[in-house]
Amino acid sequence: MAAEIRILAVDYGARRVGVAVSDPTGQIAQGLPTIVHRGLAHAAALVAELARQYRVQTIVVGLPLGMRGAKTAATKEVEKFISKLASLVPMPVVPWDERLTTVAAEKALHEMGASPSRHRQRVDQVAAVLLLQNYLDSGGR
């Protein structure tokens, strides 16, 4: 039996955190319920608990860069989240370029007939799934 390769992806936001986990083979991303949190430390603790619960080997956190790859104010906030999360877990926490994942998630929901503005938690979840699937497809295991 092959060893499990589970990876957790996180789309961190000021109010909500979209989360996705890979299947045991590390090939397919599936969404988890969006986390509504009370601040960076609370969000990091909740994600750390999910990492333990799913026994993941790696956590991938979406890094919101500007369209030209430059850091933004949001990038700096996510870097603080990554630092806090890394202090709580034994596995690597990997930043991953998330440019356009939220836009793609909103487009996907719109195409399915759902209003992205009415389903913000679903947008966050789909963004995390897209982020993780991008990471998995890149061979980032």
Side-chain angles (χ1 to χ4, degrees):
M1 185 168 158
E4 286 192 9
I5 305 170
R6 284 209 183 249
I7 300 168
L8 187 73
V10 177
D11 181 38
Y12 177 80
R15 295 185 186 132
R16 292 176 308 276
V17 177
V19 190
V21 67
S22 73
D23 69 320
T25 67
Q27 296 180 2
I28 300 170
Q30 58 190 27
L32 297 175
T34 297
I35 297 170
V36 178
H37 63 87
R38 298 182 307 263
L40 188 142
H42 181 243
L46 294 173
V47 170
E49 180 55 36
L50 281 175
R52 282 187 283 281
Q53 179 183 340
Y54 284 93
R55 297 188 313 265
V56 301
Q57 284 75 40
T58 304
I59 302 173
V60 178
V61 179
L63 197 60
L65 300 171
M67 288 310 294
R68 295 185 181 196
K71 290 185 177 185
T72 66
T75 309
K76 292 174 183 153
E77 187 66 14
V78 170
E79 288 175 333
K80 290 178 191 173
F81 172 77
I82 290 170
S83 179
K84 180 63 178 172
L85 179 59
S87 74
L88 299 175
V89 296
M91 70 282 298
V93 179
V94 179
W96 192 256
D97 185 350
E98 71 166 21
R99 282 179 276 182
L100 301 179
T101 55
T102 299
V103 172
E106 289 173 347
K107 182 178 178 190
L109 284 172
H110 181 72
E111 288 174 357
M112 293 186 310
S115 168
S117 62
R118 289 180 168 211
H119 298 93
R120 293 310 310 167
Q121 290 186 356
R122 186 78 172 129
V123 170
D124 296 330
Q125 180 187 55
V126 173
V129 168
L130 293 172
L131 172 75
L132 179 53
Q133 196 62 58
N134 179 278
Y135 179 81
L136 296 172
D137 291 348
S138 76
R141 293 187 259 298

